[in-house]
Each structure stands twice: as structure tokens, then as C-alpha cells.
Amino acid sequence: MKIISVANQKGGVGKTTTAVNLAAVLASTKRKALLIDLDSQGNATTASGLKKENTLLGLFEGKNINEIVASSNNGYDVIPGGEDLVALEAHIRTEPKKGFIEESLSELKYDFVIIDTPPALNSLTVEALISSVGTLVPLQCEYYSLEGISSLLNTITSLGNRGLSSNKVVGIIRTMVDMRNNLAKSVSDDLEKHFPDQLFNTLIPRNVKLAEAPSHGLSGTKYMPESLGAKAYIALTGEFLRRIEGA
Ligand SMILES: Nc1ncnc2c1ncn2[C@@H]1O[C@H](COP(=O)(O)OP(=O)(O)OP(=O)(O)O)[C@@H](O)[C@H]1O
Ligand SMILES: [Mg+2]
């Protein structure tokens, strides 16, 4: 089982869209996938057609992990997110339980667990990073994008240095790309220079079908598989699998 976090503390960069579509494409390739929504906004949960209840907080209220796993119409299973996660965040901030996510998943059988994290480097995000073998970092090609990810990258490095995690950045993903925009092009070039090994070749275009899909409780790849956005996430998942499985 490979646990992968999707993280960037900047809001609205495409974390949830990436987590949902990646999980859906993995499931469509017959890999068993679990999506954990660690965001109190619960966007990955509604995008999966589920209610924002039965979050990971349940584990601290005596529930068994099997009681909080739900199945979705996108082919993967979900541990939902929702407002309860505010309480869970506060709880593990005062009483850290390092690696509890990985530990609680040990009895489950999945090929991939994808964790959608909130737009903050809070205690839940750090827990996700500790429990993961890899992190995907979606970002928009904007002026502050590079600065924004340095604290995330530093956190991942420092967890490794302290022996708390073997997490590595699996890939940086350019999202909502519009190459007609000159600034986007120049930031994209900068990213290629700074992160030649981490940057994924696949670009995720700005595509309205990806934005519409969540209101139908579906991934973009299920909602409109022929759209450019869906095709991009299919290609991205291929690139991800080649990196992570060395296939
Ligand atoms: N490639 C895309 N094309 C068009 N719209 C997109 C694309 N990716 C994401 N969006 C839309 O942009 C908004 C932000 O995306 P998303 O929710 O995935 O970002 P996020 O990083 O998870 O945000 P937050 O930090 O609030 O959790 C959403 O309305 C989403 O539907
Ligand atoms: Mg999100």
C-alpha cells in the first residue's frame, strides 16, 4: 500500500481536483484506491458524491476504521472530510499522534491511498506528510507559486532528517494552465529550471468540465472522459505510475 499526499498550503491550486481525478483513474486501472479527505471544507467528499460525515475523527471516538470507509461512484473508496476535522486538528495539535494515519490503515488492503490535504500546513497536513511515502504538489503558474511551496518542501525534508518519515516529493503538477498567458509561460519555464526532476511533463489545462464535475458528485474523468481536462489527468496518472512503480 502506497500512501500519497496531495499538498500545497496555498488555497485553490487544484489539490482536490488532482486528488479526486487521480484516485478515479487509479481505480479505473483496477488498482484499489482509497481517498482520504483531510480538509474540513470536505470538497473531495462532495466531489465524490458523499456526505461530509464519518470523518477520521471517528477513530478517536471509538469507531473502527471499517466503519468510516464509504464507497463512491468514482470507483474508489473514501474516508470523508467535514467540519469534524477542525476538532481533530485541534486534538492532534495538543496530543500529537505521529503516523496515526498510516497506523490506522494497516488492516486495510489498498494499492494506493490518496490524501487530500487542507490549504494549510496544520497538524493534519503534517500527519498526512508523516504517513506518506510520496507527495504530489499541484500549483498554478503564478508569480508567488515558487515561494509558496518552499515551506512545504522544507517541512518534508525536515521530517526526513528527523527520521519521522520517508516522504519524498513524487511530482510537481502545473494546474489550470493557460499557455496563452505570458506570465504562466515564464513561471512554467522557471519551474523547469528549478525542479527538472520533480516536475511532471503533463500539464493540466484550465478546463471547465473539471470545475463542473464536482457538482455532479463525479470526477472529471467519469463526468466527461473525452474532455481535455479528463485526458490530462489520465496522462498525469500514467506519468505518476511510471514514477512510483518504475513501470
Ligand atoms: N484544471 C482546472 N480547470 C478549471 N477549473 C479547475 C481546474 N482545477 C481546479 N479547478 C477549479 O478551481 C477551483 C479550485 O480547485 P480545487 O478545489 O481543486 O483546489 P484546492 O487546492 O483543493 O483548493 P483548497 O485549497 O480550497 O482546498 C475549484 O472550483 C475547481 O473546480
Ligand atoms: Mg481542496
Side-chain angles (χ1 to χ4, degrees):
M1 175 161 67
K2 291 196 162 67
I3 306 175
I4 305 290
S5 283
V6 181
N8 184 338
Q9 74 267 37
K10 192 162 169 15
V13 296
K15 292 180 289 294
T16 300
T17 306
T18 298
V20 164
N21 284 284
L22 174 66
V25 180
L26 287 171
S28 74
T29 66
K30 302 285 174 263
R31 289 169 174 87
K32 262 200 100 195
L34 173 69
L35 176 64
I36 301 181
D37 187 353
L38 266 193
D39 189 351
S40 60
Q41 299 178 98
N43 294 337
T45 303
T46 39
S48 304
L50 295 166
K51 291 210 180 106
K52 300 184 208 178
E53 53 194 29
N54 268 328
T55 73
L56 218 51
L57 178 67
L59 295 182
F60 295 80
E61 295 175 330
K63 281 191 189 144
N64 180 279
I65 184 115
N66 290 299
E67 294 174 69
I68 59 171
V69 174
S71 58
S72 78
N73 291 329
N74 289 330
Y76 53 78
D77 290 344
V78 181
I79 296 181
E83 278 176 22
D84 280 359
L85 291 173
V86 176
L88 179 59
E89 200 278 331
H91 178 74
I92 60 174
R93 193 166 358 110
T94 48
E95 274 179 62
K97 288 227 170 359
K98 296 209 165 32
F100 87 92
I101 297 177
E102 185 183 13
E103 217 176 282
S104 61
L105 294 172
S106 62
E107 59 182 273
L108 301 181
K109 300 246 177 306
Y110 288 97
D111 298 308
F112 286 97
V113 178
I114 308 298
I115 307 180
D116 184 29
T117 66
L121 259 178
N122 65 18
S123 64
L124 285 176
T125 304
V126 171
E127 277 302 326
L129 295 174
I130 290 175
S131 290
S132 297
V133 291
T135 300
L136 294 171
V137 185
L139 53 77
Q140 277 184 269
C141 293
E142 291 173 340
Y143 186 57
Y144 291 115
S145 303
L146 276 168
E147 285 174 39
I149 60 172
S150 62
S151 47
L152 171 65
L153 302 182
N154 290 339
T155 303
I156 293 173
T157 308
S158 104
L159 291 174
N161 290 342
R162 285 150 62 202
L164 289 171
S165 175
S166 56
N167 193 342
K168 289 201 170 56
V169 175
V170 181
I172 297 173
I173 304 164
R174 288 165 283 184
T175 62
M176 298 179 235
V177 174
D178 176 3
M179 282 300 177
R180 288 168 304 182
N181 174 330
N182 285 330
L183 176 61
K185 219 189 273 162
S186 100
V187 173
S188 181
D189 290 346
D190 280 353
L191 285 167
E192 280 170 15
K193 271 188 224 119
H194 278 85
F195 303 104
D197 299 329
Q198 283 115 323
L199 200 64
F200 276 108
N201 290 320
T202 309
L203 301 171
I204 307 298
R206 185 173 284 283
N207 180 262
V208 69
K209 298 299 169 205
L210 289 173
E212 283 171 15
S215 65
H216 300 269
L218 290 172
S219 68
T221 56
K222 281 264 174 190
Y223 172 64
M224 211 57 89
E226 293 303 317
S227 65
L228 288 179
K231 285 182 176 163
Y233 272 111
I234 292 166
L236 182 84
T237 306
E239 218 183 331
F240 166 77
L241 284 171
R242 284 192 293 281
R243 268 188 204 184
I244 200 102
E245 295 178 342

